[in-house]
Amino acid sequence: SSDLLIPALPATAERDRREFDLLFTLVTVAPALIGYDLSQYTQSYRRMLDLAGALSDDRRLLTALQGIWIADQVAARHTQEAEIARQMMEVAERTNSPAALADAHHAKGSTLFWTGQAGEGAIVLNRAVTLCPDGVGRITVDGSDPLVTSLSWGSLCTWISGYPERAVPIAESAMTRARDLSQPFSQAFATWSA
């Protein structure tokens, strides 16, 4: 827990920023080291959510929401996942950042996939790619490239919607980007979804 690592610092905005950053570092590497211990993972992201709210920091708020969203997705809590995706969209619209909007569209699109709405998911995921085609500024909480994951989910949604011929070039784009980045998580995700 971050409380054990920075207990002596006085309660200030700077302390909250440091705690948030420390928690983000810990939860980002945890899945690679120990897998998704959802209780600890979710607890850390909920603490980050509290800190981001206290700081009135939308970027940190989106990061925390994305972490909670992933935990809900992994645990198949799709109702909660959809609510978190809605909250992400609300914050992203407030920031009007293309990268934040792309992240929120990604969350909504892949949630639509898991709730049986692949056709709508494909449209929303395509929007995520269009909003931020180079992926710059997007958030990653699990070590994978956000553009690769948006393309990958988009190809799955497109294929399941009955358009495999359209899905193939999308999957190939995901594979090419992952290979170019040389990121193991991105490569694994793109390969899994292809």
Side-chain angles (χ1 to χ4, degrees):
S1 166
S2 60
D3 296 346
L4 299 175
L5 297 172
I6 52 177
L9 295 176
T12 64
E14 179 58 27
R15 181 202 184 279
D16 288 352
R17 279 189 284 280
R18 286 182 180 198
E19 182 180 357
F20 184 98
D21 294 344
L22 175 62
L23 283 168
F24 182 66
T25 299
L26 294 172
V27 297
T28 300
V29 299
L33 299 174
I34 60 172
Y36 283 99
D37 174 357
L38 290 179
S39 61
Q40 185 63 39
Y41 190 80
T42 303
Q43 180 183 4
S44 295
Y45 273 110
R46 293 221 178 270
R47 174 65 182 149
M48 290 169 64
L49 188 63
D50 292 342
L51 292 165
L55 292 165
S56 298
D57 185 324
D58 284 340
R59 178 82 174 158
R60 283 184 166 89
L61 182 59
L62 284 166
T63 301
L65 286 169
Q66 189 178 87
I68 294 167
W69 170 80
I70 287 175
D72 286 340
Q73 187 176 78
V74 169
R77 294 186 297 253
H78 300 305
T79 301
Q80 294 94 319
E81 175 189 350
E83 172 56 23
I84 296 298
R86 185 198 64 74
Q87 290 176 34
M88 288 176 68
M89 189 68 74
E90 187 178 290
V91 175
E93 287 172 349
R94 186 170 62 232
T95 68
N96 201 31
S97 155
L101 287 163
D103 289 335
H105 278 79
H106 169 85
K108 181 179 179 180
S110 60
T111 299
L112 288 165
F113 170 86
W114 287 114
T115 57
Q117 302 169 68
E120 181 65 22
I123 293 166
V124 173
L125 287 156
N126 184 55
R127 180 81 176 126
V129 172
T130 303
L131 281 162
C132 194
D134 58 4
V136 172
R138 294 192 55 192
I139 297 169
T140 180
V141 296
D142 65 359
S144 60
D145 177 66
L147 184 54
V148 169
T149 57
S150 290
L151 288 164
S152 297
W153 282 116
S155 71
L156 285 170
C157 286
T158 302
W159 174 66
I160 287 175
S161 297
Y163 302 100
E165 71 287 346
R166 292 183 195 166
V168 170
I170 300 169
E172 288 172 347
S173 293
M175 294 284 291
T176 299
R177 179 166 171 92
R179 193 171 29 257
D180 290 349
L181 293 171
S182 267
Q183 289 182 335
F185 277 5
S186 297
Q187 290 172 322
F189 195 83
T191 302
W192 168 80
S193 66

